[in-house]
């Protein structure tokens, strides 16, 4: 069996397994707190047809898109700036790792106070989740560029921007892409989390609102959609990621 | 090494001074954020008053519980899974996508299922951590030299003995990395869920202080949480480095 056929088979077996697990959980827990996969999918279809769902969805997607752009741009800038300077890289890497492992959700009140309720707070919250992984992966990618490539650049007397453009960036692309993949997921998590606490729109708000109304259908459907979206995009990015790593 | 330390201290001191200056100059107003020295004073007062110790204790107990569950489950699952190639390959896509899934999105569902208690919070912390432990474990076991396994089988060790006497000790640095990840995730999971919706705990207190504009409680608590997680992470990272250095790696 080829690699591709194998990974396809694994994915299908896995999805089937998860569906069976879900159905079993439903059988154990029951109608009070859960819905079966079939019921959830049926409700999801009705939910997707309503207008109010689209209002929330576009709101989340807008915030997420801006947050993602910010994460990527700032993350790359920080990563390159630190990666190019050895001492900075050595000093800042552990600090970034420490920042990465703190429960950033506790910073949310500060962000709310600084940005006010609404779109900008969500964006900022999504972005602080995404910037650090992008910066970390970029920093390490730049730092671990083969010395011979950097030396060649020096011999050719490349200016720092030219060095980044024609040597460091192409050499670091696979690692940077891994950073983008992780950054994508975390930015999405950050944005939705931001909506769960103090927001009037978005999928996160929809979830929290559904707890208040004890609307199990909505909780199941929105969670399902979020998981499918996150897993789907990540699957695509992962495939690109593997191809990039393979090329090098 | 000294220069690196100096650099780090410089960055932190610089940021604190900048914040202090911005707060005192009124660029950041008092309602948004009290100046850092004020937060430090409030933190000392808060710790001396001791009113929040039950909350802190409760959060930390839940963090430890989530960590313990994730760590033990992860190590056992990882060790067992390593022996079954097909099962492992089938689960691979799950491991690869797992951290893309917003686990917190399941919190509302867990609240509905288990009720608003410690259960859902511990479960979130557990779920965030367990896969990281499994993946790290598999990664470490992959690096066990064949000769060690062969020696174990020559000594007629069973799977359990092999794991306890040969493979797990070899994987010590990975066990430590896994512990670091599980602890960080348990912390994020528990404090995060307390913050979203709970009846007590540090995360809950932060949310409560926020809704009451009680900056004198909110900021010190946030700083306390950040310090706790940074110290825990730092201690384990240091230990990990020592272990790796002893083995001549890094």
């Amino acid at each position: 069996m080829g690699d591709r056929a194998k990974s396809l088979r694994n994915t299908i077996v896995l999805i089937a397994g998860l569906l069976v697990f879900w159905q079993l959980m439903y059988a154990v827990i029951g109608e009070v707190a859960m819905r079966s996969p079939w019921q959830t999918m049926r409700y999801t279809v009705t939910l997707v047809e309503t207008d109010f769902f689209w209002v929330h969805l576009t709101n989340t997607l807008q915030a997420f898109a801006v947050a993602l752009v910010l994460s990527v741009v700032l993350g790359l800038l920080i990563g390159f700036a630190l990666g190019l300077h050895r001492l900075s890289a050595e000093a800042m890497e552990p600090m970034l790792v420490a920042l990465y492992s703190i429960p950033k959700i506790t910073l949310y009140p500060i962000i709310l106070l600084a940005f006010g309720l609404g779109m900008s707070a969500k964006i900022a919250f999504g972005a602080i989740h995404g910037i650090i992984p992008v910066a970390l992966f970029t920093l390490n990618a730049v730092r671990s560029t083969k010395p011979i490539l950097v030396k060649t650049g020096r011999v050719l007397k490349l200016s720092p921007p030219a060095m980044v453009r024609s040597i460091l960036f192409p050499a670091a692309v696979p690692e940077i892409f891994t950073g983008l993949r992780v950054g994508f997921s975390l930015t999405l998590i950050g944005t939705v989390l931001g909506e769960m606490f103090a927001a009037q729109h978005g999928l996160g708000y929809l979830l929290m609102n559904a707890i208040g109304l004890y609307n199990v259908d909505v909780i199941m459907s929105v969670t399902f959609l979020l998981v499918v979206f996150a897993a789907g995009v990540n699957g695509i990015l992962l495939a690109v990621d593997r191809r990039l790593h393979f090329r090098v | 090494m000294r220069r690196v330390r100096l650099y780090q201290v410089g960055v932190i001191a610089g940021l604190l001074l900048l914040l202090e200056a911005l707060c005192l100059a009124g660029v950041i107003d008092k309602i948004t954020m009290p100046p850092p020295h004020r937060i430090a004073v409030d933190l000392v007062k808060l710790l001396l008053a001791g009113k929040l110790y039950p909350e802190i204790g409760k959060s930390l107990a839940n963090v430890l519980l989530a960590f313990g569950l994730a760590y033990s489950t992860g190590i056992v699952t990882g060790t067992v899974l390593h022996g079954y190639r097909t099962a492992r390959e089938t689960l691979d896509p799950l491991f690869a996508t797992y951290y893309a899934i917003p686990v917190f999105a399941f919190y509302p569902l867990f609240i509905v299922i288990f009720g608003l208690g410690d259960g859902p919070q511990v479960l979130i912390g557990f779920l965030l951590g367990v896969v990281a432990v499994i993946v790290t474990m598999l990664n470490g076991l992959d690096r066990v030299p064949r000769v060690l396994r062969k020696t174990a089988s020559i000594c007629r060790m069973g799977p359990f003995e092999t794991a306890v006497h040969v493979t797990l000790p070899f994987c010590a640095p990975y066990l430590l990395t896994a512990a670091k990840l599980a602890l960080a995730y348990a912390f994020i999971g528990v404090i995060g869920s307390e913050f979203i919706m709970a009846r007590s705990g540090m995360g809950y207190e932060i949310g409560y202080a926020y809704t009451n504009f009680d900056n004198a409680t909110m900021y010190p608590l946030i700083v306390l949480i950040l310090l706790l997680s940074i110290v825990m992470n730092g201690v384990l990272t240091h230990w990990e480095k020592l272990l790796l250095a002893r083995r001549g790696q890094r």
Side-chain angles (χ1 to χ4, degrees):
Chain A
M1 217 182 323
D3 260 7
R4 184 168 293 185
K6 216 173 185 175
S7 86
L8 190 67
R9 188 205 64 184
N10 287 340
T11 312
I12 291 169
V13 172
L14 185 67
I15 291 174
L18 288 175
L19 284 176
V20 170
F21 177 70
W22 181 354
Q23 186 71 48
L24 282 177
M25 291 304 288
Y26 171 67
V28 175
I29 291 162
E31 200 70 29
V32 197
M34 254 185 106
R35 294 291 177 267
S36 72
W38 173 240
Q39 286 169 324
T40 305
M41 276 170 224
R42 245 188 8 206
Y43 187 79
T44 307
V45 173
T46 28
L47 186 70
V48 168
E49 278 169 354
T50 57
D51 286 334
F52 93 106
F53 173 77
W54 286 99
V55 174
H56 291 297
L57 181 69
T58 39
N59 201 282
T60 299
L61 285 180
Q62 274 168 0
F64 171 60
V66 181
L68 187 62
V69 171
L70 277 176
S71 306
V72 171
V73 172
L74 291 176
L76 283 177
L77 277 178
I78 296 173
F80 269 107
L82 295 177
L84 287 174
H85 187 242
R86 221 189 121 124
L87 180 63
S88 307
E90 263 176 47
M92 294 300 287
E93 203 238 14
M95 291 171 77
L96 283 177
V97 172
L99 274 182
Y100 188 59
S101 70
I102 60 176
K104 281 175 276 297
I105 194 163
T106 49
L107 298 176
Y108 198 52
I110 305 184
I111 290 196
L112 277 178
L113 286 172
F115 290 88
L117 277 177
M119 200 67 161
S120 46
K122 276 197 264 181
I123 293 172
F125 199 58
I128 61 165
H129 274 79
I131 289 174
I132 302 173
V134 177
L136 260 176
F137 275 94
T138 310
L139 190 161
N140 281 322
V142 172
R143 206 156 54 141
S144 59
T145 309
K146 286 196 187 109
I148 189 159
L149 296 176
V150 181
K151 279 180 190 157
T152 315
R154 283 211 197 106
V155 170
L156 293 169
K157 292 208 164 70
L158 292 181
S159 62
M163 188 86 142
V164 169
R165 202 175 53 236
S166 50
I167 293 185
L168 290 171
F169 188 72
V173 158
E175 279 301 306
I176 291 178
F177 194 83
T178 308
L180 295 188
R181 182 169 63 80
V182 178
F184 178 93
S185 319
L186 286 175
T187 310
L188 179 66
I189 293 172
T191 314
V192 175
L193 273 182
E195 287 171 347
M196 287 172 88
F197 189 78
Q200 283 89 40
H201 297 288
L203 296 181
Y205 163 77
L206 215 55
L207 269 177
M208 288 309 273
N209 200 30
I211 301 186
L213 300 170
Y214 202 75
N215 191 336
V216 183
D217 286 310
V218 171
I219 298 179
M220 292 294 296
S221 289
V222 174
T223 312
F224 174 69
L225 282 174
L226 277 172
V227 170
V228 169
F229 175 67
V233 174
N234 189 66
I236 298 169
L237 293 179
L238 202 63
V240 178
D241 198 343
R242 286 199 176 131
R243 190 160 293 179
L244 280 173
H245 276 277
F246 184 68
R247 202 187 61 180
V248 177
Chain B
M1 203 57 211
R2 284 254 318 269
R3 275 174 65 212
V4 171
R5 277 272 173 276
L6 266 175
Y7 193 107
Q8 289 171 338
V9 172
V11 170
I12 294 171
L15 283 176
L16 284 179
L17 281 177
L18 181 70
L19 271 178
E20 186 77 47
L22 286 176
C23 287
L24 291 180
V27 180
I28 302 178
D29 59 81
K30 262 195 221 125
I31 305 165
T32 307
M33 186 181 168
H37 78 266
R38 186 75 234 157
I39 299 177
V41 172
D42 286 340
L43 178 59
V44 173
K45 269 193 207 154
L46 199 75
L47 289 178
L48 287 180
K51 208 178 66 194
L52 287 171
Y53 283 139
E55 307 287 331
I56 297 173
K58 184 181 168 295
S59 293
L60 290 184
N62 279 347
V63 169
L64 279 181
L65 185 59
F67 163 75
L69 285 174
Y71 196 54
S72 47
T73 315
I75 285 179
V76 172
T77 314
T79 313
V80 171
L81 203 59
H82 192 256
Y84 297 93
R85 229 183 110 179
T86 324
R88 185 181 169 183
E89 277 178 357
T90 312
L91 286 174
D92 249 353
L94 176 71
F95 294 155
T97 6
Y98 192 76
Y99 283 96
I101 294 166
V103 175
F104 276 109
F106 285 100
Y107 189 54
L109 189 65
F110 293 158
I111 292 179
V112 173
I113 297 176
F114 300 107
L116 188 56
D118 294 351
Q121 297 159 18
V122 175
L123 190 57
I124 292 277
F126 166 79
L127 282 177
L128 277 174
V130 68
V131 170
V133 179
I134 297 177
V135 171
T136 315
M137 217 37 237
L138 288 172
N139 207 350
L141 289 171
D142 280 343
R143 281 171 180 67
V144 176
R146 288 257 296 279
V147 63
L148 291 184
R149 287 185 188 284
K150 281 183 183 163
T151 314
S153 54
I154 286 173
C155 295
R156 294 175 182 270
M157 287 182 177
F160 182 74
E161 273 186 303
T162 314
V164 173
H165 292 296
V166 181
T167 43
L168 290 182
F170 179 85
C171 293
Y174 292 89
L175 289 173
L176 212 51
T177 312
K180 197 172 75 176
L181 290 170
L183 195 58
Y185 278 121
F187 213 72
I188 293 176
V190 169
I191 303 281
S193 359
E194 280 173 359
F195 185 72
I196 298 173
M197 200 182 255
R199 290 212 199 90
S200 55
M202 284 166 99
Y204 167 77
E205 288 298 329
I206 291 178
Y208 186 75
Y210 168 74
T211 26
N212 291 308
F213 293 105
D214 184 6
N215 276 356
T217 311
M218 186 182 96
Y219 274 93
L221 263 182
I222 293 178
V223 170
L224 185 65
I225 288 181
L226 298 188
L227 284 178
L228 275 174
S229 86
I230 288 172
V231 167
M232 286 189 313
N233 186 58
V235 168
L236 285 174
T237 309
H238 186 67
W239 192 8
E240 191 185 3
K241 266 195 188 140
L242 286 180
L243 211 66
L244 283 174
R246 214 176 60 190
R247 301 195 168 199
Q249 292 164 334
R250 193 178 289 190

